[in-house]
Amino acid sequence: MPIEKKKTHLKAGKYFMQGDEACAEGAVAAGCTFFAGYPITPASEIMETIVRRFEEEKRVFVQMEDEIASMGAIVGASWTGAKSMTATSGPGFSLKMENLGYAIMTETPCVVVDVQRVGPSTGQATRTAQGDLMQARWGTHGEHTIIALSPWSVEEAFYETVRAFNLAEEFRTPVIILMEEATGHLRETVAVREAIEIFNRVEEGNGAPFGGEEPLDAVPPMPRFGTGHRLLVTGSTHDPHGYRKTQDRVTQERLLSHLQQKIEYHKERIVQWEEYELDDAETVLISFGFAARAALKAVKDARKKGIKAGLMRLKTVWPMPTERFETLAAQAKTLIVPEMNFGQLRGEVQRFTGGKKVIGVNRADGEVITPESILRAVEGGTSL
Amino acid sequence: MKQEYLKYIRDNVFPTAFCPGCGHGILLNAFVSALGELDYDQDNLVLVSGIGCGGWIASPHMNTDTLHTTHGRAIPFAIGVKLANPKLKVVVISGDGDLTTIGGNHLIHAARRRIPITVICGNNNIYGMTGGQASATTPVGAKTMTTPLGNDYRPFDLVKLVKGAGGEHVYRYTAFHAMQMKKAFKDVLQKDDFSFFDILTGCPVQYGRRNELREPAKMIQWMKDNSVLYSGEYHDDKIMVGKF
C-alpha cells in the first residue's frame, strides 16, 4: 500500500498555535515540498509559517506575482512528483478558479486553502464568514466534482491538512481546505501525535496516465516529469494517453464520468462527519466549520433545558453525506442549519429532507455566529 | 530536418493542425533540429505551452513531457516545474496573445526574476485560432477582426519589454531566419539561464490576408526585406533581429 506511518517534524506533545500556523505545520507534516503563495489577509500567516519551516527543511517556497500564478505553479510542481499547496482567501480564491479547473481536468493532486473572509469582492478582509461553500463546489466552470474539508478547530486545521494531502494523492485531485478567518486567527492547543499516516501517490502502474478506461472510477497512476514517460498533459478533453479529443463526444463523456466516479463512488473513504447527541434528537442541527462550535454549545444548552437537540458536524463538506441527511430528516421534528452565510448549506440539506422544511440560522455581518442565536431557533424563536 | 530527429516528434500527430504557410512549423523545425544536432536528452526536457495556435507547437507535436496549460499561464506552470525539479530543462513555447497579452504579467516577472527557463514566443501578431483578433503585438494600422479600420494602439516591442523587465539572453528572429534561430536555440539549450525569443512566425491566413501579405512566400520575403541584424544600433522602424 502507498500508505506509510511517518513521524512528524514536531515532537509529540501539546502546542499552542494559530489556525493558520497549524495548517502550515500540517502541510509540512504531510510531506508538502512545494508551496507557491501570494499575500492576502487572513491567510498570509500560512505562507509565512511555511517560509520559516521550508528554510529549515530545504523545501521549495516561491512567492508568485499573483494568485493565478501561484495556482499554476503548484500544478506544475505536482507533475515533478512534489506534494504542493497554495493558500488564499476569497478574492484570491476567485482568481485561482481557472487553474483549479485545470488541476481537476488533468487529475493533478494539490491542496488549496481558502481562509474565508467577508465578501463579495474585497468585502471585509479581517472579518470572518462561510460564504465560499458554494464557490468551493462550483467556482470553476464546467461539470466537475471536488473534495473540500472544513476544520472547526486549530487542532483540526493541522490534521485535516494532512488528510487533504492524503486525499489529493489518493484520488489525484485538488483538495480544498475551507477554513474561516475565525479559525485561521484563533489560538488553541494542538495535540500532535507521535506519527501520522501519509498517502504517497502511485506513480507507476498498469494503464494510461489519465482516466477514461474501465473501470471508470479507478484512479490512474501518475508518473512524474523527467522519467521517460513523455507525458501529454492538457486541460483540453483528452483520451487516457493525453491526446486532445476536442470533437469526440465519447471521450468527453467517459472523461467526465471518470472524474465524477473516482470521487463519488468512493465517498466512504472521503466523507467524514461527527455526531453529537443525535441518538434521540428531535431537533437536529447540521453545521460545519466555526459555526459548528456555536451549534454544539447551543445543543448542550438546549439539553440542559430538556430539549432533545443534537448536532451533525461536517468535516468533509464536499462531497456531502447526503444519505445521512435523509435519515436525520426522517428522525427529526425540526431541522436547523446554522451557518455564517445566507443559507448555502441549508439549500443542500433541503434537497434531501423529503420536503421537510429546514430552518436557517444565518449570520453574514463579519461576526461569529453565537450559541444564543442558535438556541433561540432551537427553542422555536426567530433565527436571526 | 534529418530523419533521425523525428524521434523528437510524436509519430501520430500528423497531419499537423497548422494552416498552410504558418511559420509556427518553421519554429518547430528549428527547435527540433537544435535538439537533434545536440543529441539532446528528450527525457530531461519539459515543454510548457498555453492556449492558441502557439500552444500547439509543443503539444502534441513534441515527443517529450508536455504541459499544455490554461490561457496565458504557461510561465507560472513552467516555474513550478523548474523550481520543484531544477535538473529539468524547461522550455515554454506559446503565442503572442497568450504570453504577452493575457499573460504579460507573468512574462515580465519571469524576466525580472531571471528564472532559468527558456521562453519562446511564436509571435504572429494576431489571435489566430479564434479568428484573427488584435493582440498586444499587432502593429499600428493593421487590420484585424477587431480593428477593421486599422489598429489604433502601439504594440509591445517584446525585446525591449523583456530587456526592460530585467531579462537576459534575449533574441529575435523571423520565419526567414530558420538557421540563425536554430543556432540560438542550441546556445540556450546548453545553458541553465533565463532566455527569451521573439520569433516572428507570421500568419498568412488570419493576419496576412487582411494586410496585403496573403501569400506565405510574400510574407517571408517581407520579413527578410524589413529585417536588420542588431549590432548595437536599434532602429524602431525595422525588424531588429539577433541577440540583444
Side-chain angles (χ1 to χ4, degrees):
Chain A
M1 277 296 277
I3 298 171
E4 63 165 315
K5 274 258 184 195
K6 195 168 152 265
K7 280 197 166 188
T8 69
H9 62 294
L10 300 171
K11 267 194 210 157
K14 291 198 169 172
Y15 293 83
F16 189 62
M17 61 174 100
Q18 202 187 43
D20 280 353
E21 290 168 355
C23 176
E25 299 289 5
V28 175
C32 173
T33 54
F34 186 94
F35 187 104
Y38 184 84
I40 190 166
T41 303
S44 294
E45 292 91 338
I46 297 174
M47 177 165 68
E48 289 159 8
T49 308
I50 286 280
V51 170
R52 289 195 298 276
R53 283 287 179 218
F54 274 24
E55 278 182 1
E56 294 159 16
E57 309 249 341
K58 302 218 185 312
R59 306 184 193 190
V60 181
F61 165 79
V62 58
Q63 182 179 327
M64 295 299 285
E65 57 272 17
D66 60 35
E67 298 276 9
I68 299 169
S70 55
M71 186 67 216
I74 68 166
V75 173
S78 187
W79 278 97
T80 71
K83 291 184 180 179
S84 65
M85 180 193 208
T86 186
T88 187
S89 185
F93 197 45
S94 294
L95 285 167
K96 291 187 191 299
M97 283 300 150
E98 189 189 7
N99 285 343
L100 180 71
Y102 183 88
I104 293 168
M105 189 60 147
T106 54
E107 307 190 54
T108 307
C110 55
V111 174
V112 180
V113 186
D114 173 19
V115 187
Q116 296 169 91
R117 67 190 228 186
V118 169
S121 189
T122 309
Q124 295 177 318
T126 61
R127 298 289 176 169
T128 196
Q130 294 182 313
D132 304 348
L133 181 65
M134 282 296 164
Q135 187 185 20
R137 178 66 187 87
W138 294 114
T140 195
H141 64 275
E143 182 62 49
H144 62 275
T145 304
I146 193 87
I147 298 174
L149 312 181
S150 166
W152 78 333
S153 68
V154 174
E155 181 164 297
E156 238 180 46
F158 181 88
Y159 288 107
E160 287 295 278
T161 301
V162 174
R163 191 161 78 93
F165 275 97
N166 290 349
L167 291 172
E169 295 292 319
E170 181 172 357
F171 294 99
R172 269 190 69 180
T173 181
V175 174
I176 293 164
I177 300 174
L178 268 187
M179 293 216 292
E180 296 89 27
E181 183 279 337
T183 317
H185 284 162
L186 184 68
R187 287 186 185 274
E188 280 186 329
T189 304
V190 177
V192 175
R193 293 194 290 266
E194 189 75 44
I196 52 170
E197 275 194 352
I198 299 292
F199 191 103
N200 294 312
R201 107 180 37 156
V202 177
E203 296 193 24
E204 303 289 337
N206 294 326
F210 301 98
E213 291 176 335
E214 298 291 345
L216 282 176
D217 68 322
V219 179
M222 182 179 171
R224 65 175 74 189
F225 283 166
T227 55
H229 286 83
R230 299 174 193 171
L231 293 157
L232 264 176
V233 185
T234 178
S236 298
T237 296
H238 48 272
D239 70 16
H241 297 279
Y243 283 95
R244 275 195 300 275
K245 301 282 180 195
T246 55
Q247 305 287 328
D248 180 45
R249 66 181 173 82
V250 176
T251 306
Q252 169 66 8
E253 199 274 337
R254 290 178 71 85
L255 180 57
L256 268 193
S257 299
H258 162 69
L259 294 176
Q260 182 191 38
Q261 289 177 20
K262 72 174 180 178
I263 292 172
E264 296 289 342
Y265 284 20
H266 299 276
K267 276 173 73 170
E268 78 288 348
R269 289 193 55 75
I270 301 166
V271 180
Q272 291 186 6
W273 70 92
E274 284 190 345
E275 301 193 348
Y276 309 86
E277 315 253 15
L278 276 178
D279 287 349
D280 63 341
E282 294 172 351
T283 299
V284 171
L285 280 64
I286 302 176
S287 191
F288 69 106
F290 203 86
R293 297 167 73 110
L296 181 59
K297 176 73 163 62
V299 164
K300 287 177 178 168
D301 291 347
R303 285 275 167 182
K304 281 182 200 155
K305 294 186 173 194
I307 303 168
K308 289 181 176 171
L311 169 68
M312 177 192 197
R313 174 177 76 89
L314 309 183
K315 286 174 74 177
T316 308
V317 284
W318 299 111
M320 283 194 186
T322 52
E323 297 82 0
R324 187 59 179 139
F325 292 167
E326 286 170 350
T327 57
L328 284 173
Q331 168 189 334
K333 286 184 181 160
T334 308
L335 281 164
I336 300 174
V337 174
E339 55 189 320
M340 279 134 61
N341 58 51
F342 281 171
Q344 296 185 22
L345 175 59
R346 185 180 70 220
E348 283 303 294
V349 175
Q350 186 70 71
R351 301 200 294 135
F352 299 92
T353 64
K356 195 174 281 184
K357 187 172 162 45
V358 183
I359 298 164
V361 181
N362 307 96
R363 182 163 200 177
D365 61 356
E367 300 290 335
V368 295
I369 199 165
T370 63
E372 294 74 24
S373 65
I374 300 168
L375 185 61
R376 279 199 295 279
V378 171
E379 290 175 320
T382 54
S383 60
L384 271 169
Chain B
M1 191 196 297
K2 285 188 185 166
Q3 192 71 23
E4 70 231 46
Y5 300 167
L6 284 174
K7 69 176 181 177
Y8 295 106
I9 304 271
R10 290 180 199 264
D11 53 15
N12 50 353
V13 293
F14 293 114
T16 164
F18 295 140
C19 305
C22 176
H24 286 350
I26 295 172
L27 194 170
L28 177 63
N29 188 327
F31 188 73
V32 166
S33 297
L35 294 174
E37 288 180 19
L38 295 170
D39 196 20
Y40 205 85
D41 178 4
Q42 70 204 92
D43 291 327
N44 197 50
L45 178 64
V46 180
L47 270 290
V48 187
S49 67
I51 296 298
C53 300
W56 285 16
I57 297 171
S59 171
H61 294 104
M62 290 298 301
N63 192 21
T64 64
D65 287 325
T66 60
L67 189 59
H68 176 235
T69 70
T70 49
H71 192 23
R73 316 305 168 196
I75 288 173
F77 283 78
I79 289 173
V81 173
K82 181 66 184 178
L83 295 184
N85 185 354
K87 288 182 196 140
L88 295 171
K89 178 70 185 174
V90 180
V91 178
V92 174
I93 307 181
S94 212
D96 50 295
D98 188 77
L99 284 171
T100 77
T101 313
I102 189 171
N105 194 35
H106 309 304
L107 176 62
I108 57 174
H109 285 280
R112 173 180 67 84
R113 297 166 192 266
R114 296 181 183 168
I115 302 274
I117 58 173
T118 291
V119 179
I120 301 171
C121 181
N123 179 1
N124 56 13
N125 311 102
I126 197 96
Y127 283 87
M129 193 177 278
T130 48
Q133 299 85 5
S135 81
T137 62
T138 300
V140 173
K143 289 184 175 137
T144 73
M145 286 298 280
T146 48
T147 59
L149 302 178
N151 182 26
D152 287 336
Y153 301 109
R154 294 191 308 151
F156 276 141
D157 178 323
L158 297 183
V159 165
K160 288 184 181 175
L161 179 73
V162 173
K163 290 280 285 184
E168 291 184 312
H169 311 292
V170 177
Y171 303 79
R172 180 188 287 124
Y173 292 108
T174 76
F176 173 76
H177 302 90
M179 300 308 283
Q180 294 93 326
M181 205 190 302
K182 180 187 72 181
K183 186 181 170 304
F185 287 157
K186 283 171 72 176
D187 286 347
V188 302
L189 280 166
Q190 297 174 86
K191 294 192 183 105
D192 196 26
D193 296 321
F194 176 83
S195 53
F196 176 78
F197 289 84
D198 180 17
I199 303 293
L200 299 179
T201 48
C203 178
V205 171
Q206 297 293 6
Y207 183 86
R209 71 177 150 137
R210 298 187 181 97
N211 294 283
E212 294 167 15
L213 291 167
R214 181 190 291 267
E215 295 298 319
K218 195 175 161 191
M219 183 172 265
I220 300 237
Q221 183 69 44
W222 180 87
M223 288 172 174
K224 180 189 173 197
D225 293 345
N226 287 281
S227 296
V228 174
L229 184 66
Y230 178 68
S231 55
E233 217 172 307
Y234 201 97
H235 305 284
D236 284 328
D237 58 338
K238 292 287 179 190
I239 302 170
M240 301 305 301
V241 298
K243 186 176 182 187
F244 300 89

